[in-house]
Amino acid sequence: MEMQIIELEKRYWQGMENHDYETVKNLTHFPCIIAGKSGLQSVDEATFKSMFESVDGNHIKLLSFSDVELQLLNESTAITAYLIEIKVADEKQNSPVKCACTSTWIKENDNWVCAMHTETELSQH
């Protein structure tokens, strides 16, 4: 089951990279909680779609996915933590960004979905 959760996390990022809303939506529990440099928010499906479509001009490229930690809390709840490096092609920034991410996955109607995700940009040393 652990490898399944890791593969779902990677599929989520591939969906973001390919700007594939259906894949990302199907892997998300609504409302989902998101925490990052913009703050905290609980997001319903309509808001999520609007947010997803608003980044249409920013192409995300996943450069690395590493240092995965995963805990199965029970048969229907898993938490993950990992490091990513992404490149966001937009007017403001063209250098890769490293982030520490966490996700909470729950099994709902026999499918795993992400109920909470955080991204913390790592400082450049």
Side-chain angles (χ1 to χ4, degrees):
M1 192 180 316
E2 291 178 0
M3 286 306 298
Q4 179 186 11
I5 299 297
I6 294 167
E7 289 305 313
L8 289 171
E9 195 75 59
K10 289 179 180 179
R11 189 179 330 154
Y12 201 100
W13 280 104
Q14 288 171 339
M16 295 296 288
E17 187 174 77
N18 296 329
H19 206 71
D20 178 357
Y21 177 73
E22 286 302 310
T23 295
V24 175
K25 177 190 79 166
N26 292 335
L27 291 171
T28 304
H29 172 270
F30 294 103
C32 63
I33 297 172
I34 302 170
K37 63 182 177 181
S38 300
L40 304 171
Q41 52 190 323
S42 179
V43 180
D44 64 17
E45 187 174 345
T47 304
F48 186 85
K49 184 173 186 179
S50 176
M51 290 169 60
F52 188 88
E53 290 172 348
S54 74
V55 296
D56 191 34
N58 295 344
H59 185 73
I60 295 173
K61 175 75 176 160
L62 181 64
L63 302 175
S64 68
F65 183 100
S66 63
D67 299 338
V68 178
E69 295 287 336
L70 186 133
Q71 287 184 13
L72 294 172
L73 302 180
N74 57 46
E75 63 277 350
S76 62
T77 309
I79 55 175
T80 63
Y82 55 91
L83 299 177
I84 60 167
E85 185 172 10
I86 56 175
K87 185 168 181 151
V88 181
D90 66 11
E91 309 79 46
K92 298 171 242 155
Q93 178 176 331
N94 206 10
S95 60
V97 175
K98 292 182 181 181
C99 297
C101 299
T102 63
S103 297
T104 300
W105 290 84
I106 60 171
K107 199 166 195 178
E108 185 175 73
N109 301 322
D110 231 17
N111 293 310
W112 286 98
V113 288
C114 185
M116 193 267 317
H117 180 75
T118 71
E119 291 176 26
T120 303
E121 195 171 320
L122 300 177
S123 58
Q124 305 285 338
H125 291 341

